[in-house]
Amino acid sequence: MTDLQRVNITKQHPAAYKALTALSSEVQEAAAAVGLDPLLVELLKIRASQINGCAFCLRMHTRDALKKGETPTGSPYCPDGKRPATSPRPTAPPSA
């Protein structure tokens, strides 16, 4: 396989993908239990995908973040990982 070929992790490594999705579900539940914003969790997944260099995961989590309210000018698209000053995302205070 060359560097330009894509890996279909669901077909080539189904057991690993199943384990990753199970871990992701546990993380989602734990994050929700402590009141973390689901979009923040998705942005963390995007950053991990950037660090790991996984295009498959980066694409998947970017799509999920857009569905959860992220904008195309938000951090997944910024090379330095910082949100542009002209596009702040309002945050609600954590519920007590």
Side-chain angles (χ1 to χ4, degrees):
M1 175 165 34
T2 68
D3 289 336
L4 299 177
Q5 290 177 318
R6 286 191 165 190
V7 173
N8 185 335
I9 193 171
T10 60
K11 291 183 180 177
Q12 292 175 319
H13 304 288
Y17 185 73
K18 185 176 179 180
L20 284 172
T21 57
L23 175 62
S24 181
S25 294
E26 289 292 324
V27 169
Q28 287 291 131
E29 289 176 23
V34 297
L36 288 179
D37 179 356
L39 178 56
L40 174 62
V41 174
E42 208 60 51
L43 294 175
L44 291 170
K45 290 178 184 179
I46 288 170
R47 186 63 186 133
S49 299
Q50 289 172 329
I51 292 167
N52 292 330
C54 182
F56 175 89
C57 293
L58 183 58
R59 182 177 182 199
M60 176 179 60
H61 295 307
T62 298
R63 285 180 176 176
D64 290 347
L66 290 169
K67 289 177 188 174
K68 292 178 181 176
E70 184 57 276
T71 64
T73 57
S75 59
Y77 300 96
C78 298
D80 63 0
K82 295 179 184 172
R83 186 174 296 278
T86 58
S87 133
R89 181 171 53 97
T91 56
S95 54

Coordinates of all heavy atoms in Angstrom, one line a residue:
M1 N 0.8 -1.2 0.0 CA 0.0 0.0 0.0 C 0.9 1.2 0.0 O 1.9 1.3 0.7 CB -0.9 0.0 1.2 CG -1.7 1.2 1.3 SD -3.1 1.3 2.4 CE -2.7 0.3 3.8
T2 N 0.5 2.2 -0.8 CA 1.3 3.5 -0.8 C 0.7 4.5 0.1 O -0.4 4.3 0.6 CB 1.3 4.1 -2.3 OG1 0.0 4.5 -2.6 CG2 1.8 3.1 -3.3
D3 N 1.4 5.6 0.3 CA 0.9 6.6 1.2 C -0.4 7.3 0.7 O -1.1 7.9 1.5 CB 2.0 7.7 1.5 CG 3.1 7.2 2.3 OD1 2.9 6.2 3.1 OD2 4.2 7.7 2.2
L4 N -0.6 7.1 -0.6 CA -1.8 7.8 -1.2 C -3.0 7.0 -1.1 O -4.1 7.4 -1.4 CB -1.5 8.2 -2.6 CG -0.3 9.2 -2.8 CD1 0.0 9.5 -4.2 CD2 -0.6 10.5 -2.0
Q5 N -2.9 5.7 -0.8 CA -4.1 4.8 -0.7 C -4.8 5.0 0.6 O -4.2 5.2 1.6 CB -3.7 3.4 -0.9 CG -3.2 3.0 -2.3 CD -2.8 1.6 -2.3 OE1 -2.2 1.1 -1.4 NE2 -3.2 0.9 -3.4
R6 N -6.1 5.0 0.5 CA -6.9 5.1 1.8 C -7.2 3.8 2.4 O -7.3 2.7 1.7 CB -8.3 5.7 1.4 CG -8.2 7.2 1.1 CD -9.6 7.7 1.1 NE -9.5 9.2 1.2 CZ -10.5 10.0 1.4 NH1 -11.7 9.5 1.5 NH2 -10.3 11.3 1.4
V7 N -7.3 3.8 3.7 CA -7.6 2.6 4.4 C -9.1 2.6 4.8 O -9.5 3.6 5.3 CB -6.7 2.5 5.7 CG1 -7.2 1.3 6.6 CG2 -5.3 2.4 5.4
N8 N -9.8 1.6 4.5 CA -11.2 1.5 5.0 C -11.1 0.7 6.3 O -11.2 -0.6 6.2 CB -12.1 0.8 3.9 CG -13.5 0.8 4.3 OD1 -13.8 0.9 5.5 ND2 -14.4 0.8 3.4
I9 N -11.0 1.4 7.4 CA -10.8 0.7 8.7 C -12.0 -0.2 9.0 O -11.7 -1.3 9.7 CB -10.6 1.7 9.8 CG1 -10.0 1.0 11.0 CG2 -11.8 2.6 10.1 CD1 -9.6 2.0 12.1
T10 N -13.2 0.1 8.6 CA -14.3 -0.8 8.9 C -14.2 -2.1 8.2 O -14.7 -3.1 8.8 CB -15.6 -0.1 8.6 OG1 -15.7 0.2 7.2 CG2 -15.8 1.2 9.3
K11 N -13.6 -2.2 7.1 CA -13.5 -3.4 6.3 C -12.1 -4.1 6.6 O -12.0 -5.3 6.7 CB -13.6 -3.2 4.8 CG -15.0 -2.8 4.5 CD -15.2 -2.6 3.0 CE -16.6 -2.3 2.6 NZ -16.8 -2.0 1.2
Q12 N -11.0 -3.3 6.7 CA -9.7 -3.9 6.8 C -9.4 -4.3 8.3 O -8.6 -5.2 8.5 CB -8.7 -3.0 6.3 CG -8.8 -2.9 4.8 CD -7.8 -1.9 4.2 OE1 -7.6 -0.8 4.7 NE2 -7.2 -2.2 3.1
H13 N -10.0 -3.6 9.2 CA -9.7 -3.9 10.6 C -11.0 -3.8 11.5 O -11.1 -2.9 12.3 CB -8.7 -2.9 11.2 CG -7.4 -2.9 10.4 ND1 -6.5 -3.9 10.5 CD2 -6.9 -2.0 9.5 CE1 -5.5 -3.6 9.7 NE2 -5.7 -2.4 9.1
P14 N -11.9 -4.7 11.2 CA -13.3 -4.5 11.8 C -13.2 -4.6 13.3 O -13.9 -3.9 14.0 CB -14.1 -5.6 11.2 CG -13.1 -6.6 10.6 CD -11.9 -5.8 10.3
A15 N -12.4 -5.5 13.9 CA -12.3 -5.7 15.3 C -11.8 -4.4 16.0 O -12.3 -3.9 17.0 CB -11.5 -6.9 15.7
A16 N -10.7 -3.8 15.4 CA -10.2 -2.6 16.0 C -11.2 -1.4 15.9 O -11.4 -0.7 16.8 CB -8.9 -2.2 15.2
Y17 N -11.9 -1.4 14.8 CA -12.9 -0.3 14.6 C -14.0 -0.5 15.6 O -14.5 0.5 16.2 CB -13.5 -0.3 13.2 CG -14.4 0.8 12.9 CD1 -13.9 2.2 12.8 CD2 -15.8 0.6 12.9 CE1 -14.8 3.2 12.6 CE2 -16.7 1.7 12.7 CZ -16.2 3.0 12.5 OH -17.0 4.0 12.4
K18 N -14.4 -1.7 15.8 CA -15.5 -2.0 16.8 C -15.0 -1.6 18.2 O -15.8 -1.0 19.0 CB -15.9 -3.5 16.8 CG -17.0 -3.8 17.7 CD -17.4 -5.3 17.5 CE -18.6 -5.7 18.4 NZ -18.9 -7.1 18.3
A19 N -13.8 -1.9 18.5 CA -13.3 -1.5 19.9 C -13.2 0.1 20.0 O -13.5 0.6 21.0 CB -11.9 -2.1 20.1
L20 N -12.8 0.7 18.9 CA -12.8 2.2 18.9 C -14.2 2.8 19.1 O -14.3 3.8 19.9 CB -12.1 2.7 17.7 CG -10.6 2.6 17.6 CD1 -10.1 3.0 16.2 CD2 -9.9 3.5 18.6
T21 N -15.1 2.2 18.4 CA -16.5 2.8 18.6 C -17.1 2.5 20.0 O -17.8 3.3 20.5 CB -17.4 2.2 17.5 OG1 -17.5 0.8 17.5 CG2 -17.0 2.7 16.1
A22 N -16.7 1.4 20.6 CA -17.1 1.1 21.9 C -16.5 2.1 22.9 O -17.1 2.6 23.8 CB -16.8 -0.3 22.3
L23 N -15.2 2.3 22.7 CA -14.5 3.3 23.6 C -15.1 4.7 23.4 O -15.4 5.4 24.4 CB -13.0 3.4 23.2 CG -12.2 4.5 23.9 CD1 -12.2 4.3 25.4 CD2 -10.8 4.5 23.4
S24 N -15.4 5.1 22.2 CA -16.0 6.4 21.9 C -17.4 6.5 22.6 O -17.7 7.6 23.2 CB -16.2 6.6 20.4 OG -16.8 7.8 20.1
S25 N -18.1 5.4 22.6 CA -19.4 5.5 23.3 C -19.3 5.7 24.8 O -20.0 6.4 25.4 CB -20.2 4.2 23.0 OG -20.6 4.1 21.7
E26 N -18.3 5.0 25.4 CA -18.0 5.2 26.8 C -17.6 6.6 27.1 O -18.0 7.2 28.1 CB -16.9 4.2 27.2 CG -17.4 2.8 27.3 CD -18.4 2.5 28.4 OE1 -18.3 3.1 29.5 OE2 -19.3 1.6 28.2
V27 N -16.7 7.2 26.2 CA -16.3 8.5 26.4 C -17.5 9.5 26.3 O -17.6 10.4 27.1 CB -15.2 8.9 25.4 CG1 -14.9 10.4 25.4 CG2 -13.9 8.1 25.7
Q28 N -18.3 9.3 25.3 CA -19.5 10.1 25.2 C -20.4 10.1 26.4 O -20.8 11.1 26.9 CB -20.4 9.7 24.0 CG -19.8 10.0 22.6 CD -19.8 11.5 22.3 OE1 -18.7 12.0 21.9 NE2 -20.8 12.2 22.5
E29 N -20.6 8.9 27.0 CA -21.4 8.8 28.2 C -20.8 9.4 29.4 O -21.5 10.1 30.1 CB -21.7 7.3 28.5 CG -22.6 6.6 27.5 CD -22.8 5.1 27.7 OE1 -22.5 4.7 28.8 OE2 -23.1 4.4 26.8
A30 N -19.5 9.3 29.5 CA -18.8 9.9 30.7 C -18.8 11.4 30.5 O -19.0 12.1 31.5 CB -17.4 9.3 30.8
A31 N -18.6 11.9 29.3 CA -18.6 13.3 29.1 C -19.9 13.9 29.4 O -20.1 15.0 30.0 CB -18.1 13.6 27.7
A32 N -21.0 13.2 29.0 CA -22.3 13.7 29.2 C -22.6 13.7 30.7 O -23.3 14.6 31.2 CB -23.3 12.9 28.4
A33 N -22.2 12.7 31.4 CA -22.4 12.5 32.8 C -21.8 13.7 33.6 O -22.4 14.1 34.7 CB -21.9 11.2 33.3
V34 N -20.7 14.2 33.2 CA -20.1 15.4 33.9 C -20.5 16.7 33.3 O -20.0 17.7 33.7 CB -18.6 15.2 34.0 CG1 -18.2 14.0 34.8 CG2 -17.9 15.2 32.6
G35 N -21.3 16.7 32.3 CA -21.8 17.9 31.7 C -21.0 18.6 30.7 O -21.2 19.8 30.4
L36 N -20.1 17.9 30.0 CA -19.3 18.5 28.9 C -20.2 18.7 27.7 O -21.0 17.9 27.4 CB -18.1 17.6 28.6 CG -17.0 17.6 29.6 CD1 -15.9 16.6 29.1 CD2 -16.4 19.0 29.8
D37 N -20.0 19.8 27.0 CA -20.7 20.1 25.8 C -20.3 19.1 24.8 O -19.1 18.8 24.5 CB -20.2 21.5 25.3 CG -20.8 22.0 24.1 OD1 -21.6 21.2 23.4 OD2 -20.5 23.1 23.7
P38 N -21.3 18.4 24.1 CA -21.0 17.4 23.1 C -20.2 17.9 22.0 O -19.3 17.2 21.4 CB -22.4 17.0 22.6 CG -23.3 17.3 23.7 CD -22.7 18.5 24.4
L39 N -20.3 19.2 21.6 CA -19.5 19.8 20.6 C -18.0 19.9 21.0 O -17.1 19.6 20.2 CB -20.0 21.2 20.2 CG -19.2 21.9 19.1 CD1 -19.0 21.0 17.8 CD2 -19.8 23.2 18.8
L40 N -17.8 20.2 22.3 CA -16.4 20.3 22.8 C -15.8 18.9 22.7 O -14.6 18.7 22.3 CB -16.4 20.8 24.2 CG -15.0 20.7 24.9 CD1 -14.0 21.6 24.2 CD2 -15.2 21.1 26.4
V41 N -16.5 17.9 23.0 CA -16.0 16.5 22.9 C -15.7 16.2 21.5 O -14.6 15.6 21.2 CB -17.0 15.5 23.5 CG1 -16.5 14.0 23.3 CG2 -17.3 15.8 25.0
E42 N -16.5 16.6 20.6 CA -16.2 16.3 19.1 C -15.0 17.1 18.7 O -14.2 16.5 17.9 CB -17.4 16.7 18.3 CG -17.6 15.9 17.0 CD -17.7 14.4 17.3 OE1 -18.6 14.0 18.1 OE2 -16.9 13.7 16.6
L43 N -14.8 18.3 19.2 CA -13.6 19.1 18.8 C -12.4 18.4 19.3 O -11.3 18.4 18.7 CB -13.8 20.5 19.3 CG -14.8 21.3 18.6 CD1 -15.0 22.7 19.3 CD2 -14.6 21.5 17.1
L44 N -12.5 17.8 20.5 CA -11.3 17.1 21.1 C -11.0 15.9 20.2 O -9.8 15.5 20.0 CB -11.6 16.7 22.5 CG -11.6 17.8 23.5 CD1 -12.2 17.3 24.8 CD2 -10.3 18.5 23.7
K45 N -12.0 15.2 19.7 CA -11.8 14.1 18.8 C -11.1 14.5 17.5 O -10.3 13.8 17.0 CB -13.1 13.4 18.5 CG -13.7 12.6 19.7 CD -15.0 12.0 19.3 CE -15.7 11.3 20.5 NZ -17.0 10.8 20.1
I46 N -11.5 15.7 17.0 CA -10.9 16.2 15.8 C -9.4 16.5 16.1 O -8.6 16.1 15.3 CB -11.6 17.5 15.4 CG1 -13.0 17.2 14.8 CG2 -10.8 18.3 14.3 CD1 -13.9 18.4 14.5
R47 N -9.1 17.1 17.2 CA -7.7 17.4 17.5 C -6.9 16.1 17.6 O -5.8 16.0 17.1 CB -7.6 18.2 18.8 CG -6.2 18.7 19.1 CD -5.7 19.6 18.0 NE -4.3 19.9 18.2 CZ -3.4 19.9 17.3 NH1 -3.7 19.6 16.0 NH2 -2.1 20.1 17.5
A48 N -7.5 15.1 18.3 CA -6.8 13.8 18.4 C -6.5 13.2 17.0 O -5.4 12.7 16.7 CB -7.5 12.8 19.3
S49 N -7.5 13.3 16.1 CA -7.4 12.8 14.7 C -6.3 13.6 14.0 O -5.5 13.0 13.2 CB -8.7 12.9 14.0 OG -9.7 12.1 14.6
Q50 N -6.2 14.9 14.2 CA -5.1 15.7 13.6 C -3.8 15.2 14.1 O -2.8 15.1 13.3 CB -5.3 17.2 13.9 CG -6.5 17.8 13.2 CD -6.8 19.2 13.7 OE1 -6.5 19.6 14.9 NE2 -7.3 20.1 12.8
I51 N -3.6 15.0 15.4 CA -2.4 14.6 16.0 C -2.0 13.2 15.4 O -0.8 13.0 15.1 CB -2.4 14.6 17.5 CG1 -2.5 16.1 18.0 CG2 -1.2 13.9 18.1 CD1 -2.9 16.2 19.5
N52 N -3.0 12.3 15.3 CA -2.7 11.0 14.9 C -2.5 10.9 13.4 O -2.1 9.9 12.8 CB -3.9 10.0 15.3 CG -3.9 9.8 16.8 OD1 -2.9 9.9 17.4 ND2 -5.1 9.6 17.3
G53 N -2.9 11.9 12.7 CA -2.8 11.9 11.2 C -3.8 11.0 10.5 O -3.5 10.5 9.5
C54 N -5.0 10.8 11.2 CA -6.0 9.9 10.6 C -7.0 10.7 9.8 O -7.9 11.3 10.4 CB -6.6 9.1 11.7 SG -7.8 7.9 11.1
A55 N -6.9 10.6 8.5 CA -7.8 11.4 7.6 C -9.3 10.8 7.8 O -10.2 11.6 7.7 CB -7.4 11.3 6.2
F56 N -9.4 9.5 7.9 CA -10.7 8.9 8.1 C -11.4 9.5 9.3 O -12.6 9.9 9.2 CB -10.6 7.4 8.2 CG -11.9 6.6 8.5 CD1 -12.7 6.2 7.4 CD2 -12.3 6.4 9.8 CE1 -13.8 5.5 7.6 CE2 -13.5 5.7 10.0 CZ -14.2 5.3 8.9
C57 N -10.8 9.4 10.4 CA -11.4 9.9 11.7 C -11.6 11.4 11.6 O -12.6 12.0 12.1 CB -10.5 9.6 12.9 SG -10.4 7.8 13.1
L58 N -10.6 12.2 11.0 CA -10.8 13.6 10.9 C -12.0 14.0 10.1 O -12.8 14.8 10.6 CB -9.5 14.2 10.3 CG -9.4 15.7 10.2 CD1 -9.6 16.4 11.6 CD2 -8.1 16.1 9.5
R59 N -12.2 13.3 9.0 CA -13.4 13.6 8.2 C -14.7 13.3 9.0 O -15.6 14.0 9.0 CB -13.3 12.8 6.9 CG -14.4 13.0 6.0 CD -14.2 12.2 4.7 NE -15.2 12.5 3.8 CZ -15.5 11.7 2.7 NH1 -14.8 10.6 2.6 NH2 -16.5 11.9 1.9
M60 N -14.7 12.1 9.6 CA -15.9 11.7 10.3 C -16.2 12.6 11.5 O -17.3 13.1 11.6 CB -15.6 10.3 10.9 CG -16.8 9.7 11.8 SD -16.5 8.1 12.4 CE -15.0 8.3 13.3
H61 N -15.2 13.0 12.3 CA -15.5 13.9 13.4 C -15.8 15.3 13.0 O -16.5 16.0 13.7 CB -14.3 13.8 14.4 CG -14.1 12.5 15.0 ND1 -15.1 11.8 15.7 CD2 -13.0 11.6 15.1 CE1 -14.7 10.6 16.1 NE2 -13.4 10.5 15.8
T62 N -15.2 15.7 11.9 CA -15.5 17.1 11.4 C -17.0 17.1 11.0 O -17.7 18.1 11.3 CB -14.6 17.5 10.2 OG1 -13.2 17.5 10.7 CG2 -14.9 18.8 9.7
R63 N -17.4 16.1 10.3 CA -18.9 16.0 9.9 C -19.8 16.0 11.1 O -20.8 16.7 11.1 CB -19.1 14.8 9.0 CG -18.6 14.9 7.6 CD -18.9 13.6 6.9 NE -18.5 13.8 5.5 CZ -18.6 12.8 4.6 NH1 -19.1 11.6 5.0 NH2 -18.2 13.0 3.4
D64 N -19.4 15.2 12.1 CA -20.2 15.2 13.3 C -20.2 16.5 14.1 O -21.2 16.9 14.6 CB -19.6 14.1 14.3 CG -19.8 12.7 13.7 OD1 -20.6 12.5 12.8 OD2 -19.2 11.7 14.3
A65 N -19.1 17.2 14.1 CA -19.0 18.5 14.7 C -19.9 19.5 14.0 O -20.6 20.3 14.6 CB -17.6 19.0 14.8
L66 N -19.9 19.5 12.7 CA -20.8 20.4 11.9 C -22.3 20.1 12.2 O -23.1 21.0 12.4 CB -20.5 20.2 10.4 CG -19.2 20.8 9.9 CD1 -18.9 20.3 8.5 CD2 -19.1 22.3 10.1
K67 N -22.6 18.8 12.4 CA -24.0 18.4 12.8 C -24.3 19.0 14.2 O -25.5 19.2 14.5 CB -24.2 16.9 12.7 CG -24.2 16.4 11.3 CD -24.3 14.9 11.3 CE -24.1 14.2 10.0 NZ -24.0 12.8 10.1
K68 N -23.3 19.1 15.0 CA -23.5 19.5 16.4 C -23.4 21.0 16.6 O -23.5 21.5 17.7 CB -22.6 18.8 17.3 CG -22.9 17.3 17.4 CD -21.9 16.6 18.3 CE -22.2 15.1 18.4 NZ -21.2 14.4 19.1
G69 N -23.3 21.8 15.5 CA -23.3 23.2 15.5 C -22.0 23.9 15.2 O -22.0 25.2 15.3
E70 N -20.9 23.2 14.9 CA -19.7 23.9 14.6 C -19.9 24.6 13.2 O -20.7 24.2 12.4 CB -18.5 22.9 14.5 CG -17.2 23.5 14.2 CD -16.8 24.6 15.2 OE1 -17.2 25.7 15.0 OE2 -16.1 24.3 16.2
T71 N -19.1 25.6 13.0 CA -19.2 26.3 11.7 C -17.9 26.1 10.9 O -16.9 25.7 11.5 CB -19.3 27.8 11.9 OG1 -18.1 28.3 12.6 CG2 -20.6 28.2 12.8
P72 N -18.0 26.2 9.6 CA -16.8 26.0 8.8 C -15.6 26.9 9.1 O -14.5 26.6 8.8 CB -17.3 26.3 7.3 CG -18.7 26.0 7.4 CD -19.2 26.4 8.8
T73 N -15.9 28.0 9.8 CA -14.8 28.9 10.2 C -14.3 28.6 11.6 O -13.4 29.2 12.1 CB -15.2 30.4 10.3 OG1 -16.4 30.5 11.1 CG2 -15.6 30.9 8.9
G74 N -14.8 27.5 12.2 CA -14.4 27.1 13.5 C -13.0 26.3 13.5 O -12.4 26.1 12.5
S75 N -12.6 25.9 14.6 CA -11.3 25.4 14.8 C -10.9 24.2 13.9 O -9.7 24.0 13.6 CB -11.0 25.0 16.3 OG -12.0 24.1 16.7
P76 N -11.8 23.3 13.5 CA -11.3 22.1 12.7 C -10.7 22.6 11.4 O -9.9 21.9 10.8 CB -12.6 21.3 12.4 CG -13.6 21.7 13.5 CD -13.2 23.1 13.9
Y77 N -11.0 23.8 11.0 CA -10.5 24.2 9.7 C -9.4 25.2 9.8 O -8.8 25.6 8.8 CB -11.7 24.9 8.9 CG -12.8 23.9 8.6 CD1 -13.9 23.9 9.5 CD2 -12.7 23.0 7.6 CE1 -14.9 23.0 9.3 CE2 -13.7 22.1 7.4 CZ -14.8 22.1 8.2 OH -15.8 21.2 8.0
C78 N -9.0 25.6 11.0 CA -7.9 26.5 11.2 C -6.6 25.8 11.4 O -6.5 24.9 12.3 CB -8.2 27.4 12.4 SG -9.7 28.4 12.2
P79 N -5.6 26.1 10.6 CA -4.3 25.4 10.7 C -3.7 25.4 12.1 O -3.1 24.4 12.5 CB -3.4 26.1 9.7 CG -4.3 27.0 8.9 CD -5.6 27.2 9.6
D80 N -3.8 26.5 12.8 CA -3.2 26.5 14.1 C -4.1 26.0 15.2 O -3.7 26.0 16.4 CB -2.7 27.9 14.4 CG -3.9 28.9 14.6 OD1 -5.0 28.5 14.4 OD2 -3.6 30.1 14.8
G81 N -5.3 25.5 14.9 CA -6.2 25.0 15.9 C -6.9 26.0 16.7 O -7.5 25.7 17.7
K82 N -6.7 27.3 16.4 CA -7.4 28.3 17.2 C -8.6 28.9 16.5 O -8.6 29.0 15.2 CB -6.4 29.5 17.4 CG -5.2 29.0 18.3 CD -4.2 30.2 18.5 CE -3.0 29.7 19.3 NZ -2.0 30.8 19.3
R83 N -9.6 29.2 17.2 CA -10.8 29.8 16.6 C -10.5 31.2 16.3 O -9.9 32.0 17.0 CB -11.9 29.7 17.7 CG -13.3 30.1 17.2 CD -14.3 29.8 18.2 NE -14.4 28.4 18.5 CZ -15.1 27.6 17.8 NH1 -15.8 28.0 16.7 NH2 -15.2 26.3 18.1
P84 N -11.0 31.6 15.1 CA -10.8 33.0 14.7 C -11.4 34.0 15.7 O -12.5 33.7 16.2 CB -11.4 33.1 13.3 CG -11.5 31.7 12.8 CD -11.6 30.9 14.0
A85 N -10.8 35.1 15.9 CA -11.4 36.1 16.9 C -12.7 36.6 16.4 O -13.5 37.0 17.2 CB -10.4 37.2 17.1
T86 N -13.0 36.6 15.1 CA -14.2 37.1 14.6 C -15.4 36.1 14.7 O -16.5 36.4 14.3 CB -14.1 37.6 13.1 OG1 -13.6 36.4 12.4 CG2 -13.1 38.7 13.0
S87 N -15.1 34.9 15.1 CA -16.2 33.9 15.2 C -16.2 33.1 16.5 O -16.0 31.9 16.5 CB -16.0 33.0 14.0 OG -16.0 31.7 14.3
P88 N -16.5 33.9 17.6 CA -16.5 33.2 18.9 C -17.8 32.3 18.9 O -18.8 32.6 18.3 CB -16.6 34.3 19.9 CG -17.2 35.4 19.2 CD -16.7 35.3 17.7
R89 N -17.7 31.2 19.6 CA -18.8 30.3 19.8 C -19.4 30.6 21.2 O -18.6 30.5 22.2 CB -18.4 28.9 19.7 CG -19.6 27.9 19.9 CD -19.2 26.5 19.5 NE -18.1 26.1 20.3 CZ -18.1 25.4 21.4 NH1 -19.2 25.0 21.9 NH2 -17.0 25.0 22.0
P90 N -20.6 31.1 21.4 CA -21.2 31.3 22.7 C -21.2 30.0 23.5 O -21.4 29.0 23.0 CB -22.6 31.8 22.4 CG -22.9 31.5 21.0 CD -21.6 31.2 20.3
T91 N -20.9 30.2 24.8 CA -20.9 29.1 25.7 C -21.8 29.4 26.8 O -21.9 30.5 27.3 CB -19.5 28.8 26.3 OG1 -19.0 30.0 26.9 CG2 -18.5 28.4 25.2
A92 N -22.5 28.3 27.2 CA -23.4 28.4 28.4 C -22.7 28.1 29.6 O -21.8 27.2 29.6 CB -24.6 27.5 28.2
P93 N -23.0 28.7 30.7 CA -22.3 28.3 32.0 C -22.7 26.9 32.3 O -23.8 26.4 32.0 CB -22.9 29.3 33.0 CG -24.1 29.9 32.4 CD -24.0 29.7 30.9
P94 N -21.8 26.1 33.0 CA -22.2 24.7 33.3 C -23.4 24.7 34.3 O -23.5 25.6 35.2 CB -20.9 24.2 34.0 CG -20.0 25.3 34.1 CD -20.5 26.5 33.4
S95 N -24.2 23.8 34.2 CA -25.4 23.7 35.1 C -24.9 23.1 36.4 O -24.1 22.2 36.5 CB -26.5 22.9 34.5 OG -26.0 21.6 34.0
A96 N -25.5 23.6 37.5 CA -25.1 23.2 38.8 C -25.8 21.9 39.2 O -26.7 21.4 38.8 CB -25.4 24.3 39.8

